[in-house]
Amino acid sequence: MRTEPLLAEADALLARGRAHNAERLLAPFVGREPENVGAWHRMARARLDLDDLNGALLAAQAAWHLDPYDVESLFWLSQARSRLADHAEAIAAAAAACREDPGNPRLHNRLAEAQLAAGLPTDAAEGLRVVADMARYDADLYVTYGLALFAIGRPLSAREALGHALAIDFGHTGARAALRKFDRAMSTAIDAASLALAADEFAESLRIHPGRQPSRRPGPGREALGHVARVSLVWFLAAIAGVGILEATGLLVAPTSLYLTLFAAAGAAGCVSTLARPSH
């Protein structure tokens, strides 16, 4: 198989969330062509998606050894190091990538993510403040900027950053998930002291400690399923109430089986909605 079609197929599999298939496709290829840097990048991404962190690090290191100045190699090396809580190395790799390509907002975003994972929200917020104006088209960067701002106790600025992300991409799942996290964190903030505590707890929730995996953002399919389930639950409950009202007024005689069906459907929708909710 020629290289470009294979890598394109791996990209398509990864975009569809089929990391296992991508990893199986790439494994024999990197065995035959271990000098292919792009294949190692995709292998690192697939293994990260599969939570094979040591395997991801090995793939990222293979790419980095082939080309230590390649920003994509540095990106995946940083990503794997962060997930393994090797924060100094993760920050160093991301910073090196930024030096190689200072105009690339994706690399600055990776550096800020590495700093948040290391418990350095002030560094992350300051770094993104400097590059935010040049990356006004990058929704992911503004989401990370919002997380950093909230973690240093600036909730209004954080919401403004997420508003900008949604202006770029109205359906951005990361921005909407962050807003929900903000609402939960702010539910306990009633004064300056409690706001500071909420910000500290929020910053701590972004950290990655050795042996602890970060919360994974739900994919768009899971988000859509949860939304449909919540809407369905509302409609089933409304139908139950409507049938009850009609029966109480004598306009309808509803069989018991109708109530059982509606209650079962509502229960199923409620279960799906709960299971589709992102974990934190």
Side-chain angles (χ1 to χ4, degrees):
M1 183 179 291
R2 290 169 50 209
T3 299
E4 292 307 317
L6 184 141
L7 296 183
E9 183 178 353
D11 286 336
L13 289 168
L14 290 167
R16 296 200 299 270
R18 296 171 61 185
H20 181 70
N21 299 91
E23 201 252 0
R24 288 178 61 187
L25 175 70
L26 291 164
F29 179 75
V30 295
R32 292 192 307 269
E33 296 190 25
E35 74 286 352
N36 191 297
V37 177
W40 285 116
H41 294 160
R42 291 159 176 84
M43 180 67 87
R45 176 182 171 185
R47 288 174 174 172
L48 283 170
D49 287 350
L50 294 169
D51 289 327
D52 177 8
L53 304 186
N54 289 318
L57 179 60
L58 288 174
Q61 286 176 323
W64 180 72
H65 284 301
L66 288 167
D67 189 351
Y69 299 103
D70 177 62
V71 296
E72 194 72 9
S73 299
L74 290 164
F75 177 92
W76 291 111
L77 183 63
S78 175
Q79 192 85 273
R81 291 289 191 187
S82 279
R83 293 278 294 275
L84 286 164
D86 189 354
H87 298 304
E89 293 290 340
I91 291 171
C98 291
R99 288 193 297 272
E100 291 297 321
D101 187 3
N104 189 332
R106 177 170 172 260
L107 304 178
H108 290 283
N109 187 52
R110 167 86 287 271
L111 175 58
E113 288 177 335
Q115 290 165 334
L116 288 174
L120 301 170
T122 302
D123 291 349
E126 181 59 24
L128 291 183
R129 181 188 66 79
V130 173
V131 301
D133 284 340
M134 78 174 186
R136 299 195 68 81
Y137 56 88
D138 193 304
D140 290 339
L141 184 141
Y142 273 89
V143 171
T144 305
Y145 191 26
L147 295 174
L149 288 169
F150 197 98
I152 62 173
R154 296 176 56 189
L156 296 180
S157 297
R159 288 183 182 276
E160 183 180 351
L162 292 187
H164 188 82
L166 291 172
I168 298 168
D169 178 2
F170 184 73
H172 197 285
T173 55
R176 296 194 176 279
L179 284 172
R180 291 193 294 271
K181 290 182 71 173
F182 289 178
D183 288 339
R184 285 193 293 273
M186 288 297 293
S187 65
T188 61
I190 56 175
D191 54 24
S194 57
L195 173 59
L197 179 60
D200 287 344
E201 291 176 348
F202 185 83
E204 180 62 25
S205 75
L206 300 176
R207 292 189 64 187
I208 299 177
H209 296 278
R212 190 193 83 182
Q213 293 301 304
S215 300
R216 299 190 65 177
R217 293 176 182 172
R222 184 173 171 182
E223 285 258 319
L225 178 63
H227 175 73
V228 170
R230 289 188 292 272
V231 172
S232 299
L233 176 60
V234 171
W235 279 106
F236 285 132
L237 293 175
I240 293 168
V243 170
I245 291 171
L246 290 174
E247 193 165 28
T249 58
L251 298 175
L252 175 70
V253 178
T256 304
S257 60
L258 177 60
Y259 279 107
L260 291 175
T261 299
L262 289 173
F263 275 113
C271 289
V272 171
S273 175
T274 300
L275 291 172
R277 187 176 303 151
S279 59
H280 298 283

